[in-house]
Amino acid sequence: MTALGDHAEHLNLVRFRNDGDDFHVLWTARRAVRMIAPKSRLRAVAVEGISVNDRLKGKRIGAGLLVADTVEYYGSENFGTAERVVVNQLKYSTQNVDTPWPWSGLSDTIIGFAARFAASAKEYGIRHTIAAGRYRFVTNRPISANVLEAIDAVIRGGTDSLKGSAKRVCQELQTKLGLKDLRLRQFLGTLELRGNQVSRHDQQTSLAAEVGRIQPGAPDSSVARLKELIRTLGTSSATDDPVLRIETVLRTFDVEDPAHLLPAPAHFETVGQAVERDQDAALLDAIRQAPGPFLVTAPGGVGKSITTQRIASLMPAGSEVVTFDGFAGGGYRARSEARHRHDVGLVQIANELATRGLCDVLLPSAAPPHVLLRSFRSRLTQAAAIVRARSSDALVVIVLDAADN
């Protein structure tokens, strides 16, 4: 019985370890999905290492890499030019969810973070290191109040009032990190201890919801491919470049090229200064008072396409206008464009709004038209809320030129 009990306990420990691995993958997958948003400044996420492009004079900074589970790069994949680089260590507990992390459990990570901070400051300068570097410990467990109190006291310069465990943590911070006085305070200002993160089950639910929001009808296989890609990047087969970029993330959703997010760009002829027309005021009033879509018709050659391009200038301040080119210089006839289809036209319009920061991105999808229309409508609702917050008179206007195509 004892042998069987020991065997079962060992299996449970293996499962608990696997829980932690799964949390790592899910956390990283959710960060990767954020790269897809057109306004996102997140350029890459390295797994178990740093980007191959993160070099100074051809060499990488090795200090602290053992505590870097993932590294997020904003603006650039090189620390020297990045807007922000976040070094993450992720810890997950199945058994001790409510037990705070003490200093003894955090010290190796914080010492590693401090070593990387110091090396970065030496190579890139303290000003850029403070501005760009962030060192983040992420866990589903809480962080000990003594640790948080000690860190806050050192940053504020008010350590004299510390007592008990908080005082001992303060002493460890001052003696074990290899940083003194101002440098220590500067490092601690870049340190983020994020406790009480949601469980891996909730991470999985959130990931599925986030993917479903950007790609309606996304198959479970898309999420599975993304997770498997992250696992692979954490192995020896990806040692040279263990990095998630938008191109690789999109491919897990069957989007082969970021250009496919805008699959039907306009091909309007360039015109000079358009002549104002007597109908302009009437058109503006019609748009503002319309309870829903309406149709403008006229014989060929009278300037309908030019008028559609002028609508934006007629709208109230703060309005947003997207003009969809249904003719595309005759290109609508090409089967390779198929811009009249829901999975092309709606994606183009939605993502033009998304590039302006007005709504979620909409990935190309094999979902049926009614599902795509529902997702498209939700993006119009998002955009309308943002635009109306600017001005009660502002409008979101979608113009379809050559709508009959």
Side-chain angles (χ1 to χ4, degrees):
M1 294 295 291
T2 302
L4 288 174
D6 291 344
H7 183 64
E9 183 177 352
H10 172 73
L11 289 178
N12 283 338
L13 291 175
V14 172
R15 290 188 174 92
F16 297 152
R17 183 196 65 197
N18 293 341
D19 289 347
D21 292 342
D22 193 44
F23 179 80
H24 285 210
V25 170
L26 291 167
W27 172 274
T28 307
R30 293 185 65 196
R31 297 301 167 288
V33 168
R34 295 178 184 178
M35 275 191 278
I36 299 173
K39 287 290 187 179
S40 175
R41 299 298 297 163
L42 181 60
R43 294 291 180 261
V45 179
V47 180
E48 303 291 355
I50 61 175
S51 169
V52 67
N53 299 312
D54 193 359
R55 298 286 191 274
L56 179 66
K57 298 178 181 178
K59 297 181 179 180
R60 71 176 186 173
I61 294 177
L65 280 186
L66 290 180
V67 296
D69 288 335
T70 68
V71 180
E72 302 168 25
Y73 292 91
Y74 294 82
S76 166
E77 289 185 43
N78 184 284
F79 187 91
T81 55
E83 299 163 8
R84 179 145 302 177
V85 176
V86 183
V87 180
N88 296 294
Q89 184 171 85
L90 312 173
K91 292 290 186 182
Y92 187 80
S93 176
T94 302
Q95 291 182 294
N96 302 307
V97 177
D98 298 320
T99 303
W101 275 100
W103 168 254
S104 59
L106 295 168
S107 59
D108 286 347
T109 299
I110 295 177
I111 290 170
F113 284 163
R116 189 155 189 84
F117 172 89
S120 297
K122 179 180 179 181
E123 299 295 343
Y124 295 102
I126 188 62
R127 179 176 296 182
H128 181 70
T129 299
I130 292 172
R134 293 296 180 272
Y135 305 89
R136 182 186 294 158
F137 180 83
V138 180
T139 179
N140 64 321
R141 290 169 55 181
I143 307 295
S144 168
N146 293 319
V147 173
L148 297 175
E149 182 184 359
I151 290 174
D152 182 63
V154 173
I155 292 174
R156 291 186 294 101
T159 60
D160 292 342
S161 61
L162 293 175
K163 298 179 180 179
S165 296
K167 184 175 182 178
R168 288 191 291 274
V169 172
C170 178
Q171 292 170 343
E172 293 280 299
L173 291 169
Q174 293 170 330
T175 58
K176 296 294 181 64
L177 302 192
L179 300 171
K180 301 295 183 182
D181 303 325
L182 176 60
R183 277 290 186 270
L184 177 60
R185 294 196 298 273
Q186 289 170 331
F187 162 66
L188 293 178
T190 68
L191 178 66
E192 301 176 6
L193 302 180
R194 294 195 177 184
N196 297 311
Q197 298 298 299
V198 298
S199 72
R200 67 186 184 88
H201 300 290
D202 290 336
Q203 295 281 352
Q204 176 69 50
T205 300
S206 295
L207 174 61
E210 289 158 5
V211 169
R213 190 165 62 244
I214 64 174
Q215 189 177 49
D220 293 340
S221 59
S222 294
V223 173
R225 284 197 299 270
L226 178 58
K227 292 173 66 175
E228 184 57 31
L229 171 61
I230 293 168
R231 290 190 184 96
T232 300
L233 290 176
T235 68
S236 58
S237 61
T239 301
D240 292 338
D241 192 22
V243 180
L244 288 159
R245 300 181 179 88
I246 187 171
E247 296 85 359
T248 52
V249 174
L250 285 175
R251 280 197 288 271
T252 65
F253 298 106
D254 292 321
V255 181
E256 293 301 318
D257 189 318
H260 295 170
L261 297 180
L262 293 167
H267 297 289
F268 292 118
E269 293 183 14
T270 301
V271 296
Q273 182 68 36
V275 177
E276 292 187 13
R277 299 184 176 217
D278 295 338
Q279 296 89 345
D280 286 351
L283 179 59
L284 172 59
D285 287 340
I287 292 173
R288 296 179 67 174
Q289 298 175 22
F294 71 93
L295 190 65
V296 176
T297 62
V302 301
K304 297 188 298 299
S305 293
I306 293 176
T307 298
T308 61
Q309 295 174 68
R310 294 193 61 245
I311 287 176
S313 66
L314 303 176
M315 293 300 103
S319 296
E320 296 285 349
V321 178
V322 173
T323 303
F324 181 77
D325 185 1
F327 184 68
Y332 76 96
R333 302 185 187 94
R335 292 187 178 183
S336 60
E337 287 209 12
R339 60 179 53 223
H340 59 283
R341 291 185 347 204
H342 291 80
D343 60 338
V344 177
L346 295 183
V347 168
Q348 175 70 31
I349 296 169
N351 288 340
E352 287 196 40
L353 292 171
T355 58
R356 306 176 196 181
L358 298 173
C359 67
D360 292 328
V361 69
L362 181 61
L363 296 187
S365 168
H370 73 277
V371 174
L372 288 169
L373 283 166
R374 185 166 60 240
S375 295
F376 178 72
R377 187 177 183 86
S378 74
R379 281 153 178 78
L380 293 182
T381 300
Q382 291 173 342
I386 293 174
V387 167
R388 279 298 171 88
R390 300 173 182 168
S391 170
S392 59
D393 294 328
L395 302 170
V396 175
V397 181
I398 308 300
V399 182
L400 306 180
D401 185 43
D404 51 337
N405 293 331

